[in-house]
């Protein structure tokens, strides 16, 4: 930045501020390095298309989202930033930000947050050491005009082609500041003068200020020419006033010489009337209202944190969208925002003779003196405040007939007379005649100092007085007569009256330490009102008012009660529930809203809906705790006193911020590593990255700390989550695709209607990816297929071996046994008569050979693979049972409950099943003396059940000693993994049940 601070300080010592004494009560919020700004000296301001604010400082470029500054400095950014001294900013139609530094020009991608140096055409060697960029101006044809101390560069924004123009001689080496007007003409300020540059001829035309062609003109030392919304050109100066361009005369003319030390300028149309902000002047900041010819200056007040900091203004930006004005200074940033600091403020100077009691208890407009207000300060006397000039005149008991400095209430009658409620007296003060009169009708009581805490003028012009001890009084100014109203006090000796009002039925309502009273002055009656749950209880009431619907509002210690015209409670607002604090004061504005002062925030209750809106110090209030000092002026403004000052506001202008906040993602961290915000596509999270945090911003700059946020991760969260922190994080997300949805509201609860969305792809681990799973399935399938194929081959091999063994047994053993049986039969017939013993033995040999042959047939049958099916087993059972059963005339009935459809048994199960059947049938034939055998076979899944039941003589299992037959059956069943159960009873037959699982 140019070293102008010493000169500026010197000039301040010689200029008078009298011409700029116009008072205005705007409030400025301040941002410095204490709030995260990288440097307090701010050179330039830019608002980008996304809604972020950018501030170029002497040590870095700062992006601001309303809550946080994010600085970009040399060595701490992606890409190349040639210097941290940012001198100029501009954004083109593609979104690229052009940043000028003291070491050249660079481009910045605000989405990727990356810098790149833009090399301008090489300069002559003797000037190569002056690369400082002083200004960047974009014209209407797609060009940027970039200036240094000696050159002008015309840069095509799309092709990046550059054309260079040599500047006029610039002996001061001051910055060349460009402006492009609505006719696309280039205006330049340098060397203390204003020029217009003609690109076609390459000539510079001088307009105002000292130059080589006009050496006697004053040095302007302005910052730049400014074109307002109508195309009007303005040029402030440091010593020649404010200039305006006259197109007809093609010349700049002075419009107001009161503007001195002008440095920066911008237009503001937020007030409905166009005016100019001008950085400069003795207080360094002023407003100029062209239609009114009015100049408003802003001065520094060390007691007022919202006052202008009085540092030199370097740049001003008035945002037409948000109606916020941003002011860059050499001591940080200032913000004027009508939607943020809503309440205007007046801080009273602390007098040298001040006491500990400095509460403003009354602010009363003087209806007969324009811009005059009377301020009562408990313990510090009476003030007259000129609102236009912001001047104060103090009255105390030492410099005026005011009998005491303890002022509690001020009322003005229709004659302009002020009635002051003081300690010990009611004082009549006529400001126009400067006449004073004191009334002291109150009875003298030991150790009692009578104080008038509240005054109210009724429709008869009678003055009602609320006392700190003596209750309620009525005063007739016309006759000078006082009347004390007897109040039912339930035995209380001291009755304090804190508030008085009147309803449409001309009744007076008064509240205090003894409760609520209704006084009918016409009938002369006083009624103490019951307060529902507070009936017959001592209750302290602090304030009372009547709304437009004739409801009586009563402020108590623990609730705000609403009564109907008959004094019956119809609603209440409880402390620490609907109300944030104990109510102390009440008033009703012109819209019918009830304002409630409490010891914790100011509340406004909608008179129709009952909804509550809260205000605190962030809205401009001097305190969050208030007493009963509520007053209104003729325009409907509300004044609210507090310690050493007061706030005031026009409720009709206290609108809701309807600006829908922009929403942007500002930062992404995955596993604690910062990631680039994807411009398109989804955010990708790798398998080893199990945590993601997204930081975002609601681009609302009005009380941004009151922003609210909602978020939902579609695919993970079922419902929206609400928070006051613009940050969300998730851990251990399962692989898949998600959508993070974000919403935000501004300080007054206005939400953006459409959520901002960020797609998130969580990449699964290799073992969970589809191709891996497919490959794994393919490998497993191949392995299974190979195993099945191998098993099948082995089974085929075993079947071939079994078939060969069965064939060999049949051919060799079977034929041999047949030969033995045949030979035995032949020899038996030959030797039966001659050798009876030999014949018996041969018969035995024949029988054994026959039995062995039959057993061999069973073995061969069980070995052959062709007989592996369950159906084959059943068939074999029938073939075996038919002959012996028919021989003994025993019937066989079979019950097959299901088809077996090729169900196969392994050889061991098949053989064991057949042997058990064979053994049971043989036993039935030998021992049961039965006439019928039933065979039941059923298959349920893999489980086979075989039941053999006869109708024979049966037996008693308890008396029969089990033989080898039953033991063999049980052993065979266990060997095949089954269960055998025998059920029998004398004369009831026998049931044998076998169950096993086919394997």
């Amino acid at each position: 930045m140019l070293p102008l601070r010493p000169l500026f300080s010197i000039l301040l010592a010689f200029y008078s501020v009298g011409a700029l004494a116009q008072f205005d009560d705007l409030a400025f919020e301040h941002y410095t390095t204490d709030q995260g700004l990288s440097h307090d000296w701010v050179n330039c301001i830019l608002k980008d298309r996304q809604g972020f604010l950018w501030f170029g400082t002497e040590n870095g470029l700062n992006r601001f989202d309303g809550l946080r500054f994010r600085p970009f400095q040399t060595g701490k950014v992606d890409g190349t930033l040639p210097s941290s001294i940012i001198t100029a900013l501009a954004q083109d139609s593609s979104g690229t930000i052009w940043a000028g530094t003291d070491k050249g020009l660079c481009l910045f991608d605000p989405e990727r947050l990356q810098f790149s140096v833009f090399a301008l055409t090489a300069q002559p060697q003797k000037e190569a050491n002056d690369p400082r960029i002083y200004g960047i101006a974009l014209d209407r044809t797609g060009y940027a005009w970039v200036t240094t101390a000696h050159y002008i560069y015309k840069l095509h924004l799309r092709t990046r082609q550059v054309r260079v123009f040599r500047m006029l001689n610039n002996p001061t080496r001051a910055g060349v500041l460009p402006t492009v007007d609505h006719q696309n003409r280039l205006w330049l300020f340098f060397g203390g003068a204003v020029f217009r540059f003609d690109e076609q001829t390459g000539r510079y035309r001088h307009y105002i200020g000292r130059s080589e062609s006009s050496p006697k003109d004053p040095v302007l030392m302005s910052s730049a020419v400014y074109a307002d919304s109508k195309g009007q050109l303005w040029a402030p100066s440091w010593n020649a006033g404010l200039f305006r361009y006259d197109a007809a005369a093609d010349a700049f003319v002075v419009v107001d010489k009161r503007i001195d030390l002008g440095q920066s300028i911008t237009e503001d149309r937020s007030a409905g009337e166009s005016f100019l902000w001008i950085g400069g002047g003795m207080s360094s900041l002023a407003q100029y209202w062209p239609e009114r010819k009015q100049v408003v200056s802003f001065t520094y007040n060390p007691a007022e944190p919202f006052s202008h900091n009085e540092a030199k203004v370097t740049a001003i930006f008035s945002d037409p969208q948000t109606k916020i004005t941003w002011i860059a200074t050499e001591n940080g940033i200032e913000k004027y925002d009508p939607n943020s600091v809503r309440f205007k403020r007046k801080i009273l100077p602390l007098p040298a003779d001040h006491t500990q009691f400095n509460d403003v208890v009354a602010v009363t407009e003087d209806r007969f003196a324009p811009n005059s207000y009377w301020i009562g300060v408990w313990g510090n006397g009476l003030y007259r405040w000129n609102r236009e000039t912001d001047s104060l005149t103090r009255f105390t008991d030492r410099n005026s007939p005011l009998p005491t400095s303890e002022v509690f209430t001020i009322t003005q009658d229709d004659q302009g007379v002020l009635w002051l409620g003081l300690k010990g007296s009611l004082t009549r003060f006529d400001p126009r005649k400067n006449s004073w009169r004191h009334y002291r009708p109150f009875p003298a009581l030991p150790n009692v100092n009578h104080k008038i805490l509240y005054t109210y003028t009724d429709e008869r012009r009678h003055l009602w007085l609320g006392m700190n001890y003596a209750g309620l009084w009525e005063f007739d100014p016309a006759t000078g007569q006082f009347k004390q109203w007897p109040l039912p006090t339930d035995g209380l000796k001291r009755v304090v009256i804190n508030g008085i009002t009147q309803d449409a039925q001309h009744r007076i309502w008064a509240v205090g330490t003894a409760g609520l009273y209704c006084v009918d002055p016409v009938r002369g009656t006083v009624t103490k009102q019951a307060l529902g749950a507070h009936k017959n209880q001592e209750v302290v009431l602090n304030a009372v008012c009547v709304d437009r619907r004739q409801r009586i509002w009563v402020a108590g210690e623990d609730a705000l009660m609403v009564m109907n015209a008959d004094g019956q409670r119809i609603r209440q607002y409880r402390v620490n529930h609907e109300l944030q604090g104990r109510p102390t004061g009440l008033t009703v504005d012109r819209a019918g809203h009830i304002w409630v002062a409490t010891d914790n925030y100011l509340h406004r209750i909608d008179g129709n809906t009952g909804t509550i809106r809260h205000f605190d110090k962030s809205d401009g209030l001097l305190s969050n705790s208030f007493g009963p000092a509520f007053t209104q002026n003729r325009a409907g403004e509300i004044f609210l006193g507090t310690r050493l000052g007061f706030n005031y506001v026009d409720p009709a202008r206290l609108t809701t911020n309807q600006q829908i906040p922009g929403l942007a993602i500002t930062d992404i961290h995955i596993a604690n590593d910062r990631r680039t915000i994807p411009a398109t596509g989804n955010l990708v999270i790798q398998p080893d990255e199990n945590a993601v945090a997204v930081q975002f911003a609601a681009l609302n700059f009005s009380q941004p700390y009151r922003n609210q946020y909602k978020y939902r991760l579609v695919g993970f969260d079922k419902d929206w989550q609400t928070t006051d922190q613009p940050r969300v994080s998730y851990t251990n997300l399962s692989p898949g695709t998600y959508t993070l949805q974000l919403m935000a509201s501004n300080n007054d609860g206005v939400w953006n209607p459409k959520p901002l969305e960020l797609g998130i792809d969580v990449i699964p681990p290799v073992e969970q990816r589809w191709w891996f799973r497919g490959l794994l399935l393919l490998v497993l399938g191949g392995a299974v297929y190979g195993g099945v194929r191998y098993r099948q081959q082995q089974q085929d091999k075993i079947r071939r071996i079994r078939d060969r063994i069965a064939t060999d047994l049949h051919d060799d053993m079977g034929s041999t046994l047949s030969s033995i049986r045949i030979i035995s039969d032949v020899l038996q017939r030959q030797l039966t008569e001659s050798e009876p013993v030999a014949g018996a033995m041969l018969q035995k040999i024949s029988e054994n050979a026959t039995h062995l042959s039959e057993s061999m047939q069973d073995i061969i049958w069980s070995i052959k693979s062709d007989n592996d099916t369950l159906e084959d087993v059943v068939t074999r059972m029938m073939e075996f049972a038919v002959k012996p059963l028919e021989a003994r005339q025993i019937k066989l009935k079979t019950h097959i409950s299901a088809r077996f459809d090729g169900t196969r048994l392994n050889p061991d199960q098949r053989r064991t099943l057949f042997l058990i059947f064979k053994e049971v049938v043989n036993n039935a034939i030998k021992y049961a003396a039965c006439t019928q055998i039933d065979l039941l076979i059923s298959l349920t899944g893999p489980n086979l059940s075989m039941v053999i039941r006869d109708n024979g003589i049966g037996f008693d299992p308890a008396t029969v000693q089990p033989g080898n037959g039953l033991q063999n059956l049980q052993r065979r069943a266990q060997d095949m993994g089954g269960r055998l159960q025998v059920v029998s009873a004398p004369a009831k037959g026998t049931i044998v049940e076998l169950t096993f699982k086919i394997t």
Side-chain angles (χ1 to χ4, degrees):
M1 193 65 192
L2 292 177
L4 298 177
R5 180 176 289 176
L7 175 60
F8 182 75
S9 301
I10 294 171
L11 288 172
L12 283 178
F14 291 96
Y15 275 80
S16 168
V17 299
L20 300 179
Q22 174 70 40
F23 169 72
D24 201 292
D25 41 17
L26 303 188
F28 299 92
E29 298 174 79
H30 304 278
Y31 299 90
T32 66
T33 50
D34 293 338
Q35 285 73 42
L37 190 64
S38 63
H39 197 278
D40 284 337
W41 193 318
V42 184
N43 295 322
C44 47
I45 308 172
L46 171 72
K47 183 179 181 182
D48 68 17
R49 298 188 305 176
Q50 200 172 3
F52 289 102
L53 284 168
W54 298 83
F55 298 96
T57 75
E58 288 290 292
N59 186 25
L61 176 63
N62 293 256
R63 188 185 72 180
F64 185 48
D65 60 21
L67 291 174
R68 297 173 298 272
F69 288 95
R70 180 173 180 180
F72 298 86
Q73 297 165 307
T74 303
K76 299 180 181 180
V77 298
D78 291 334
T80 303
L81 178 62
S83 171
S84 290
I85 300 177
I86 309 299
T87 58
L89 292 170
Q91 185 176 38
D92 63 26
S93 59
S94 70
T96 299
I97 293 177
W98 296 78
T101 76
D102 70 330
K103 293 183 180 179
L105 182 67
C106 64
L107 283 69
F108 179 64
D109 185 337
E111 292 185 352
R112 293 182 174 84
L113 304 179
Q114 292 181 341
F115 288 89
S116 59
V117 172
F118 187 89
L120 296 171
T121 304
Q123 301 175 358
Q125 183 63 34
K126 65 178 182 178
E127 295 163 356
N129 62 348
D130 189 16
R132 184 186 185 96
I133 304 298
Y134 284 96
I136 304 171
L138 306 183
D139 68 14
R140 298 169 181 265
T141 60
Y143 286 89
W145 294 87
V146 183
T147 58
T148 65
H150 299 282
Y151 289 92
I152 304 173
Y153 299 88
K154 184 181 181 182
L155 189 155
H156 195 280
L157 296 172
R158 182 174 57 83
T159 65
R160 303 295 196 256
Q161 293 180 345
V162 179
R163 186 178 179 188
V164 186
F165 300 92
R166 185 72 166 82
M167 278 295 302
L168 289 175
N169 183 34
N170 185 4
T172 64
R173 295 182 62 84
V176 180
L177 304 173
T179 298
V180 177
D181 66 16
H182 288 203
Q183 299 180 39
N184 221 43
R185 297 175 298 187
L186 178 63
W187 298 82
L188 301 168
F189 174 84
F190 71 96
V194 174
F195 298 84
R196 189 172 73 197
F197 176 64
D198 188 335
E199 179 187 359
Q200 301 300 322
T201 63
R203 295 181 178 179
Y204 297 84
R205 178 178 173 180
H206 171 265
Y207 278 84
I208 51 173
R210 184 175 299 175
S211 68
E212 290 182 348
S213 61
S214 303
K216 296 183 179 181
D217 284 2
V219 178
L220 295 184
M221 300 189 72
S222 173
S223 61
V225 176
Y226 176 76
D228 66 19
S229 60
K230 297 180 180 179
Q232 178 66 61
L233 297 177
W234 301 85
S237 71
W238 275 32
N239 57 1
L242 176 64
F243 288 82
R244 181 174 61 194
Y245 177 66
D246 186 336
D250 193 20
F252 280 87
V253 296
V254 177
V255 293
D256 200 308
K257 289 189 176 182
R258 293 175 294 174
I259 302 295
D260 273 322
L261 305 182
Q263 177 78 8
S264 306
I265 184 170
T266 195
E267 181 186 21
D268 191 332
R269 293 182 290 168
S270 63
E273 176 185 349
S274 177
F275 66 93
L276 299 174
W277 290 90
I278 300 174
M282 295 309 300
S283 61
S284 81
L285 181 65
Q287 290 177 345
Y288 177 68
W289 298 76
E291 295 184 9
R292 310 178 193 174
K293 304 295 183 184
Q294 182 182 11
V295 177
V296 180
S297 66
F298 301 90
T299 57
Y300 173 64
N301 181 356
E304 172 54 89
F306 288 108
S307 69
H308 171 51
N309 64 15
E310 217 164 32
K312 187 167 79 72
V313 174
T314 56
I316 307 174
F317 168 65
S318 186
D319 190 341
Q321 183 181 16
T322 63
K323 297 180 172 54
I324 299 175
T325 297
W326 299 89
I327 302 164
T329 77
E330 293 179 353
N331 190 26
I333 302 164
E334 296 187 320
K335 179 182 73 171
Y336 166 63
D337 180 8
N339 285 319
S340 182
V341 184
R342 308 170 192 265
F343 289 80
K344 299 179 180 180
R345 307 147 57 92
K346 175 60 181 174
I347 298 177
L348 301 181
L350 191 65
D353 60 344
H354 69 277
T355 68
Q356 61 176 324
F357 307 108
N358 298 294
D359 292 339
V360 173
V361 293
V363 180
T364 301
E365 180 187 23
D366 192 325
R367 292 175 290 166
F368 297 86
N371 297 312
S372 289
Y373 288 78
W374 296 92
I375 304 169
V377 182
W378 178 27
N380 277 330
L382 178 68
Y383 288 81
R384 180 167 58 196
W385 175 48
N386 187 308
R387 185 171 178 179
E388 182 177 14
T389 62
D390 194 31
S391 59
L392 290 168
T393 303
R394 184 182 178 212
F395 300 83
T396 69
D397 55 351
R398 288 175 292 278
N399 68 357
S400 73
L402 190 68
T404 176
S405 292
E406 291 193 45
V407 180
F408 297 101
T409 179
I410 305 172
T411 301
Q412 187 177 43
D413 64 23
D414 55 6
Q415 302 299 316
V417 173
L418 297 177
W419 294 92
L420 310 178
L422 309 175
K423 184 180 86 169
S425 71
L426 173 67
T427 294
R428 180 186 185 276
F429 172 43
D430 188 339
R432 292 176 295 173
K433 299 178 181 180
N434 194 28
S435 63
W436 300 76
R437 182 178 178 183
H438 311 295
Y439 297 87
R440 298 181 176 90
F442 315 113
L445 297 174
N447 302 319
V448 173
N449 290 317
H450 290 289
K451 299 177 182 179
I452 302 174
L453 303 181
Y454 201 91
T455 56
Y456 180 83
T457 303
D458 67 14
E459 61 177 10
R460 300 174 300 157
R461 300 184 178 86
H462 285 200
L463 202 62
W464 292 80
L465 313 178
M467 307 296 296
N468 71 322
Y469 193 94
L472 181 66
W473 290 65
E474 180 183 2
F475 172 64
D476 184 352
T479 64
Q481 297 297 313
F482 287 84
K483 176 182 178 180
Q484 183 179 16
W485 282 85
L487 303 177
T489 61
D490 298 330
L492 292 177
K493 293 183 179 181
R494 179 182 179 183
V495 178
V496 181
I497 297 298
N498 294 320
I500 307 170
T501 191
Q502 187 176 32
D503 64 17
Q505 301 179 46
H506 316 299
R507 297 177 299 180
I508 298 295
W509 295 85
V511 296
T513 55
L516 172 64
Y517 297 97
C518 179
V519 179
D520 189 332
V522 178
R523 298 179 180 177
T525 61
V526 179
T527 305
K528 185 175 181 181
Q529 301 295 316
L531 297 176
H534 297 286
K535 186 176 182 180
N536 298 324
Q537 297 181 21
E538 181 180 341
V539 58
V540 176
L541 303 179
N542 299 317
V544 63
C545 70
V546 178
D547 66 16
R548 296 191 303 182
R549 296 162 59 182
Q550 293 303 298
R551 295 177 299 181
I552 297 95
W553 295 71
V554 180
E557 290 289 303
D558 58 359
L560 173 63
M561 293 162 281
V562 187
M563 328 287 285
N564 61 19
D566 297 326
Q568 297 175 335
R569 185 164 58 178
I570 57 177
R571 184 171 183 177
Q572 74 173 4
Y573 298 85
R574 297 167 298 169
V575 174
N576 298 326
H577 290 83
E578 295 84 1
L579 300 181
Q580 300 299 312
R582 180 177 60 89
T584 57
L586 297 170
T587 193
V588 182
D589 66 22
R590 292 184 174 183
H593 301 317
I594 292 82
W595 291 80
V596 186
T598 77
D599 58 5
N600 189 27
Y601 299 165
L602 175 65
H603 301 58
R604 189 190 72 179
I605 302 177
D606 190 300
N608 296 318
T609 65
T611 57
I612 301 177
R613 186 176 179 183
H614 305 104
F615 302 96
D616 57 23
K617 293 176 70 172
S618 64
D619 294 290
L621 295 176
L622 291 170
S623 172
N624 286 335
S625 178
F626 297 93
F630 257 134
T631 57
Q632 294 189 47
N633 64 9
R634 288 173 296 174
E637 287 182 295
I638 293 176
F639 293 78
L640 181 60
T642 185
R643 182 173 174 80
L644 279 176
F646 58 90
N647 288 102
Y648 53 106
V649 66
D650 184 352
R653 300 180 64 180
L654 195 64
T655 57
T656 300
N657 180 11
Q658 296 296 331
Q659 185 67 41
I660 297 175
L663 196 58
I665 295 174
T666 59
D667 218 350
I668 296 176
H669 281 81
I670 297 178
N672 296 322
D673 292 329
R674 176 173 282 174
R675 297 296 173 87
T676 300
I677 301 170
T680 58
N682 291 357
L683 176 68
V684 177
I685 301 177
Q686 298 299 330
D688 58 339
E689 299 170 337
N690 61 353
V692 57
V694 178
Q695 191 163 294
F696 51 96
L699 298 176
N700 164 57
F701 297 94
S702 297
Q703 299 177 329
Y705 40 83
R706 289 183 174 175
N707 294 345
Q708 292 291 308
Y709 311 93
K710 291 193 294 188
Y711 65 91
R712 177 176 64 180
L713 187 62
V714 178
F716 183 84
D717 293 322
K718 293 183 179 180
D719 301 312
W720 286 93
Q721 310 296 316
T722 302
T723 179
D724 58 0
Q725 297 297 319
R727 178 183 174 90
V728 297
S729 60
Y730 291 91
T731 58
N732 299 320
L733 290 176
S734 300
T737 297
Y738 304 86
T739 301
L740 178 62
Q741 295 181 326
L742 304 171
M743 297 185 71
S745 73
N746 67 13
N747 56 311
D748 284 332
V750 176
W751 290 85
N752 54 340
K754 184 178 180 181
L756 175 67
E757 295 186 345
L758 172 66
I760 300 176
D761 290 332
V762 180
I763 305 301
V766 172
E767 64 272 14
Q768 295 183 20
R769 301 184 191 182
W770 67 267
W771 58 266
F772 180 85
R773 291 183 174 181
L775 180 61
L776 183 61
L777 288 175
L778 185 62
V779 171
L780 290 176
V784 170
Y785 175 78
V788 171
R789 183 67 178 167
Y790 175 79
R791 181 182 179 188
Q792 186 177 12
Q793 290 175 350
Q794 293 300 314
Q795 289 177 343
D796 291 343
K797 182 177 180 181
I798 292 172
R799 279 195 294 269
R800 289 194 295 271
I801 293 173
R802 287 168 55 194
D803 291 344
R804 185 173 63 251
I805 292 174
T807 301
D808 292 345
L809 288 174
H810 180 274
D811 293 344
D812 295 339
M813 296 294 294
S815 59
T816 301
L817 290 173
S818 297
S819 298
I820 292 172
R821 182 173 58 80
I822 293 172
I823 293 172
S824 299
D825 290 341
V826 171
L827 290 174
Q828 182 181 0
R829 284 193 297 270
Q830 294 176 356
L831 298 175
T832 299
E833 295 179 357
S834 59
E835 297 289 339
V837 176
M841 293 181 65
L842 288 174
Q843 183 179 357
K844 185 68 174 177
I845 291 172
S846 177
E847 290 176 354
N848 289 339
T850 300
H851 178 73
L852 184 60
S853 178
E854 291 176 353
S855 297
M856 183 63 64
Q857 290 299 321
D858 291 340
I859 293 172
I860 293 172
W861 172 84
S862 64
I863 291 176
K864 290 189 66 175
S865 61
D866 293 343
N867 302 322
D868 283 348
T869 66
L870 181 59
E871 190 174 357
D872 292 330
V873 177
V874 174
T875 301
R876 177 68 176 171
M877 290 177 180
M878 297 301 101
E879 290 176 351
F880 162 76
V882 167
K883 289 183 180 180
L885 292 177
E886 285 181 350
R888 291 167 177 76
Q889 296 181 350
I890 299 173
K891 295 180 180 180
L892 176 64
K893 290 187 177 181
T894 60
H895 304 274
I896 308 300
S897 61
R899 297 185 61 185
F900 304 126
D901 295 329
T903 300
R904 305 183 70 85
L905 284 75
N906 65 53
D908 291 336
Q909 286 184 330
R910 184 180 59 170
R911 180 172 178 273
T912 302
L913 178 64
F914 176 73
L915 292 177
I916 290 175
F917 172 78
K918 184 177 179 181
E919 180 74 15
V920 172
V921 170
N922 284 333
N923 288 338
I925 293 172
K926 294 179 180 179
Y927 309 115
C930 61
T931 60
Q932 179 175 316
I933 294 177
D934 295 310
L935 174 64
L936 294 88
I937 297 178
S938 63
L939 183 65
T940 304
N943 298 313
L944 180 68
S945 173
M946 180 179 70
V947 178
I948 304 172
R949 182 175 60 215
D950 65 54
N951 60 354
I953 60 177
F955 63 93
D956 184 359
T959 59
V960 175
Q961 184 70 27
N964 291 332
L966 287 177
Q967 292 177 356
N968 288 338
L969 291 176
Q970 292 288 356
R971 180 179 51 79
R972 291 182 187 275
Q974 292 175 359
D975 290 343
M976 66 186 309
R979 183 172 63 90
L980 185 83
Q981 185 176 7
V982 178
V983 179
S984 183
K988 292 186 178 181
T990 301
I991 300 174
V992 178
E993 180 178 3
L994 171 69
T995 57
F996 67 93
K997 183 177 181 180
I998 297 175
T999 60

